[in-house]
Amino acid sequence: MTSMPDPKLLRAARRLLRWDDLELVGERLQKLGAHAWRGLAQSLLMLAGVLLLISPKLPSETLIGAASLAGTLALVRALLARSAAVRAEQRIHARATRDETHLAVAGALLGLVFAGLIAWPPPLSIERQCLLAGIALIGTLASLRTIGASPLVFFAHAVPLVVGAIAAIAALPDAIRSHALIVFALILLLLVDVVYSVLRAKSESIAAKLRERGLLAQQWALFSTGQLAIALTRNRQIDKANNRFRQMFGEGSGEALLSDLAHTLGRSRAQLDRLIARADTRVRGHRSVAINVLLEGPTPRFYSIQIRRFDPLHRSRGLLWSVSDQTSEWLRRQALERAASRDPLTGALNRRAFEQKFKRLLRRDLQRHPIALMCLDLNGFRELNDTHGHAFGDQVLCVVTKRMQHMLRSQDLIARLDGDAFVVVLEQIDRIEDATAVADKLVQAISAPVVMTSTSCSVGVSIGIALAPRDGRTAAALLAYADTAMYAVKRALRRNRNRRWLRRSDTDTDPRDSSA
């Protein structure tokens, strides 16, 4: 009874010949498909060399038939390589593996044709037989370089050539045959060592690339299931986008998704293309670029964008864009900044925020864009507090602030310095007369009666005006100028003069230096 081969040996042989890994098969076949036509050219060149060497001993009909058969087999092998590469790229691994077997069969048939031509009787001269043996060895190396998809394909193509070379050597005279066989055996040992080293290095290289590709695939899987909007751009196009990214910017793909992204970010398509190109130039290695986009409007949106290399070691893998909607956080920061810069009672600017903004305004060209500063102080407010209480006085301050905001423009500054002292900054005031006209309107608005439930009252106001750069160029100088003018107004009111606003130049002396 015939014993069956050991299954372990069969598995080991299969692993040796096929590298029993579908991912490796797919990767090898993709490389094979990329060089299929180069392999065809090498096969045809080898065929031409063999035919030239053996042309004296074969009739022309045989040469033409052998050339046609070998050329057809070489073309079939190239087409099979392309087909296998396409299926491997589509991850149809079972059919790609079958194509690899067909490829091995085509290579074996091509090797048999060459071997038959080399060993065709009658024997040639010693020089030509040595040349044919060399062609057989070169053919094995060429097949390793060109086909090299797996040991199965390599041996199927190379073994017939080596057998043909041995047959040609066997036809040599006895005097030199043994020496030729020894040299040929040494060459074969060297060839086997080279083949083993090359295949081992290629296997390790492909396995490393597959591990890297697996890690990248796991990384993208994590990106796809995360709550962060992520897209991968390659060659200035969106190659991949996870579900969160499509929810935020559009369900399309390619150009449509880029257009939706540009529209959402408030950019034109050309601006977005320039942004991607600039990021592709600036982002290198592990370096990243952060971009913040604020979309103003009735419902403002704030996006934070981080751009980095998807694979820092390979620039061709593209850029990874991480987009997060930071609108709620931005609104919270704005609220905190507003609370830190606003007077908690009236909502006007506090002293610290006013000084910062006023100093920024003074850095402008004051000759082209003059600025008017007004210091305001309510008259009779202390008596109002004593009569109705501080809660009532706080309500009056809020009403006064709202009246000033209603009278002034949105770009003008209103700040409450302390108590009932306010300051107003008017931008683009060319003449003092324009500032006095605004002051008159403020006096009328503030002096109107204030009605609180069943209580009615009224307060007056004293206003001092300073014009920059005419009356000073620094915040301290302008505040001192306007403050002095305001105290002059208070002195005039104590003397029953009908003055509600004043500039310091309108008085001969500083009212604070005089007794009221």
PDB file of all heavy atoms in Angstrom, residues 259-271:
ATOM      1  N   SER A 259     -15.657  71.366  -3.186  1.00  0.00           N
ATOM      2  CA  SER A 259     -16.488  72.573  -3.333  1.00  0.00           C
ATOM      3  C   SER A 259     -17.340  72.807  -2.094  1.00  0.00           C
ATOM      4  O   SER A 259     -17.468  73.950  -1.621  1.00  0.00           O
ATOM      5  CB  SER A 259     -17.367  72.441  -4.574  1.00  0.00           C
ATOM      6  OG  SER A 259     -16.588  72.280  -5.739  1.00  0.00           O
ATOM      7  N   ASP A 260     -17.922  71.741  -1.534  1.00  0.00           N
ATOM      8  CA  ASP A 260     -18.708  71.890  -0.310  1.00  0.00           C
ATOM      9  C   ASP A 260     -17.837  72.353   0.849  1.00  0.00           C
ATOM     10  O   ASP A 260     -18.262  73.191   1.659  1.00  0.00           O
ATOM     11  CB  ASP A 260     -19.371  70.549   0.045  1.00  0.00           C
ATOM     12  CG  ASP A 260     -20.436  70.145  -0.962  1.00  0.00           C
ATOM     13  OD1 ASP A 260     -20.909  71.041  -1.694  1.00  0.00           O
ATOM     14  OD2 ASP A 260     -20.774  68.952  -1.028  1.00  0.00           O
ATOM     15  N   LEU A 261     -16.623  71.828   0.927  1.00  0.00           N
ATOM     16  CA  LEU A 261     -15.703  72.247   1.993  1.00  0.00           C
ATOM     17  C   LEU A 261     -15.352  73.716   1.859  1.00  0.00           C
ATOM     18  O   LEU A 261     -15.359  74.460   2.856  1.00  0.00           O
ATOM     19  CB  LEU A 261     -14.441  71.380   1.939  1.00  0.00           C
ATOM     20  CG  LEU A 261     -13.325  71.740   2.921  1.00  0.00           C
ATOM     21  CD1 LEU A 261     -13.794  71.583   4.356  1.00  0.00           C
ATOM     22  CD2 LEU A 261     -12.088  70.883   2.665  1.00  0.00           C
ATOM     23  N   ALA A 262     -15.049  74.165   0.645  1.00  0.00           N
ATOM     24  CA  ALA A 262     -14.714  75.573   0.432  1.00  0.00           C
ATOM     25  C   ALA A 262     -15.888  76.476   0.801  1.00  0.00           C
ATOM     26  O   ALA A 262     -15.720  77.516   1.442  1.00  0.00           O
ATOM     27  CB  ALA A 262     -14.307  75.796  -1.024  1.00  0.00           C
ATOM     28  N   HIS A 263     -17.098  76.067   0.420  1.00  0.00           N
ATOM     29  CA  HIS A 263     -18.290  76.873   0.738  1.00  0.00           C
ATOM     30  C   HIS A 263     -18.520  76.951   2.249  1.00  0.00           C
ATOM     31  O   HIS A 263     -18.821  78.027   2.787  1.00  0.00           O
ATOM     32  CB  HIS A 263     -19.504  76.271   0.043  1.00  0.00           C
ATOM     33  CG  HIS A 263     -20.792  76.978   0.362  1.00  0.00           C
ATOM     34  ND1 HIS A 263     -21.108  78.224  -0.144  1.00  0.00           N
ATOM     35  CD2 HIS A 263     -21.847  76.619   1.169  1.00  0.00           C
ATOM     36  CE1 HIS A 263     -22.288  78.598   0.313  1.00  0.00           C
ATOM     37  NE2 HIS A 263     -22.745  77.649   1.111  1.00  0.00           N
ATOM     38  N   THR A 264     -18.367  75.828   2.950  1.00  0.00           N
ATOM     39  CA  THR A 264     -18.596  75.817   4.392  1.00  0.00           C
ATOM     40  C   THR A 264     -17.576  76.677   5.121  1.00  0.00           C
ATOM     41  O   THR A 264     -17.906  77.366   6.093  1.00  0.00           O
ATOM     42  CB  THR A 264     -18.548  74.375   4.930  1.00  0.00           C
ATOM     43  OG1 THR A 264     -19.481  73.578   4.199  1.00  0.00           O
ATOM     44  CG2 THR A 264     -18.899  74.333   6.407  1.00  0.00           C
ATOM     45  N   LEU A 265     -16.317  76.656   4.659  1.00  0.00           N
ATOM     46  CA  LEU A 265     -15.263  77.433   5.311  1.00  0.00           C
ATOM     47  C   LEU A 265     -15.238  78.883   4.849  1.00  0.00           C
ATOM     48  O   LEU A 265     -14.358  79.644   5.269  1.00  0.00           O
ATOM     49  CB  LEU A 265     -13.897  76.793   5.032  1.00  0.00           C
ATOM     50  CG  LEU A 265     -13.674  75.386   5.608  1.00  0.00           C
ATOM     51  CD1 LEU A 265     -12.282  74.892   5.262  1.00  0.00           C
ATOM     52  CD2 LEU A 265     -13.881  75.377   7.114  1.00  0.00           C
ATOM     53  N   GLY A 266     -16.180  79.269   3.998  1.00  0.00           N
ATOM     54  CA  GLY A 266     -16.229  80.654   3.551  1.00  0.00           C
ATOM     55  C   GLY A 266     -15.095  81.029   2.616  1.00  0.00           C
ATOM     56  O   GLY A 266     -14.647  82.176   2.595  1.00  0.00           O
ATOM     57  N   ARG A 267     -14.610  80.078   1.832  1.00  0.00           N
ATOM     58  CA  ARG A 267     -13.511  80.309   0.902  1.00  0.00           C
ATOM     59  C   ARG A 267     -13.960  79.969  -0.512  1.00  0.00           C
ATOM     60  O   ARG A 267     -14.884  79.187  -0.713  1.00  0.00           O
ATOM     61  CB  ARG A 267     -12.287  79.447   1.249  1.00  0.00           C
ATOM     62  CG  ARG A 267     -11.740  79.625   2.654  1.00  0.00           C
ATOM     63  CD  ARG A 267     -11.080  80.988   2.811  1.00  0.00           C
ATOM     64  NE  ARG A 267     -10.309  81.058   4.045  1.00  0.00           N
ATOM     65  CZ  ARG A 267     -10.797  81.405   5.211  1.00  0.00           C
ATOM     66  NH1 ARG A 267     -12.097  81.672   5.321  1.00  0.00           N
ATOM     67  NH2 ARG A 267     -10.026  81.487   6.289  1.00  0.00           N
ATOM     68  N   SER A 268     -13.273  80.558  -1.475  1.00  0.00           N
ATOM     69  CA  SER A 268     -13.511  80.156  -2.863  1.00  0.00           C
ATOM     70  C   SER A 268     -12.715  78.889  -3.148  1.00  0.00           C
ATOM     71  O   SER A 268     -11.819  78.506  -2.390  1.00  0.00           O
ATOM     72  CB  SER A 268     -13.083  81.267  -3.826  1.00  0.00           C
ATOM     73  OG  SER A 268     -11.681  81.462  -3.763  1.00  0.00           O
ATOM     74  N   ARG A 269     -13.038  78.243  -4.261  1.00  0.00           N
ATOM     75  CA  ARG A 269     -12.331  77.013  -4.599  1.00  0.00           C
ATOM     76  C   ARG A 269     -10.850  77.300  -4.852  1.00  0.00           C
ATOM     77  O   ARG A 269      -9.971  76.508  -4.475  1.00  0.00           O
ATOM     78  CB  ARG A 269     -12.980  76.378  -5.815  1.00  0.00           C
ATOM     79  CG  ARG A 269     -12.314  75.090  -6.247  1.00  0.00           C
ATOM     80  CD  ARG A 269     -12.284  74.067  -5.124  1.00  0.00           C
ATOM     81  NE  ARG A 269     -11.327  73.025  -5.396  1.00  0.00           N
ATOM     82  CZ  ARG A 269     -11.556  72.002  -6.194  1.00  0.00           C
ATOM     83  NH1 ARG A 269     -12.741  71.885  -6.794  1.00  0.00           N
ATOM     84  NH2 ARG A 269     -10.639  71.090  -6.381  1.00  0.00           N
ATOM     85  N   ALA A 270     -10.554  78.433  -5.489  1.00  0.00           N
ATOM     86  CA  ALA A 270      -9.153  78.779  -5.743  1.00  0.00           C
ATOM     87  C   ALA A 270      -8.396  79.005  -4.427  1.00  0.00           C
ATOM     88  O   ALA A 270      -7.239  78.591  -4.282  1.00  0.00           O
ATOM     89  CB  ALA A 270      -9.072  80.028  -6.625  1.00  0.00           C
ATOM     90  N   GLN A 271      -9.043  79.671  -3.458  1.00  0.00           N
ATOM     91  CA  GLN A 271      -8.401  79.884  -2.158  1.00  0.00           C
ATOM     92  C   GLN A 271      -8.140  78.566  -1.445  1.00  0.00           C
ATOM     93  O   GLN A 271      -7.085  78.392  -0.812  1.00  0.00           O
ATOM     94  CB  GLN A 271      -9.279  80.794  -1.295  1.00  0.00           C
ATOM     95  CG  GLN A 271      -9.337  82.232  -1.772  1.00  0.00           C
ATOM     96  CD  GLN A 271     -10.326  83.056  -0.966  1.00  0.00           C
ATOM     97  OE1 GLN A 271     -11.339  82.547  -0.474  1.00  0.00           O
ATOM     98  NE2 GLN A 271     -10.042  84.343  -0.823  1.00  0.00           N
TER      99      GLN A 271
END
